Amino acid sequence: MKLNKAFKFRLYPNKSQAALVNKTFGCCRFIYNKMLGDKIDYYNEHKAKLNNTPAQYKGKFEWLKEVDSYALCNEQMNLQAAYNNFFRKPKTGFPKFKSKKCTKKTYTTSNVNNVIRINDKHQIHLSKLGWVKFVE
């Protein structure tokens, strides 16, 4: 049995890290909405499900390469789960596009090959960000 752990941290980034975090929020929202829109268009045209990935969009939208790729992959998994839930249980409702005006700004990353590390100085090392101060 595989065990997954989740941790929630309040981060205190410097200015450049904060800019990258904000860019990651925007890229996650963009990739979710773009992939959802493409799934809708494909389904309307072919009456079949489209299996798209964030990597397919990085050639056209170069700026997606600047953010944490695991965050984009998690958006793909969230969208796929919502999309599949709709087809299994239509009462759950069709996935909605994410709004830029939403006050809850969050993203999920993955600890593949131990890329996330915590030290004794209340700092966490995150992909693309480097060391960031945090409070549990």
Side-chain angles (χ1 to χ4, degrees), residues 30-102:
F30 171 82
I31 203 70
Y32 184 96
N33 290 342
K34 181 70 174 150
M35 291 176 68
L36 178 57
D38 289 350
K39 283 180 181 294
I40 292 169
D41 294 343
Y42 188 84
Y43 185 81
N44 288 336
E45 189 175 327
H46 303 283
K47 301 298 181 222
K49 291 182 184 179
L50 173 66
N51 291 318
N52 47 356
T53 66
Q56 294 170 308
Y57 298 92
K58 288 185 178 182
K60 187 173 182 181
F61 306 102
E62 291 282 325
W63 39 268
L64 289 173
K65 295 177 183 177
E66 298 172 17
V67 300
D68 182 1
S69 61
Y70 295 118
L72 300 179
C73 289
N74 278 297
E75 287 300 316
Q76 173 196 0
M77 292 189 301
N78 293 340
L79 173 60
Q80 194 61 45
Y83 196 72
N84 289 339
N85 285 342
F86 170 74
F87 283 97
R88 274 196 300 268
K89 303 177 222 167
K91 288 184 180 179
T92 60
F94 194 78
K96 294 176 175 54
F97 289 98
K98 292 187 174 188
S99 170
K100 193 173 189 175
K101 297 176 184 174
C102 177

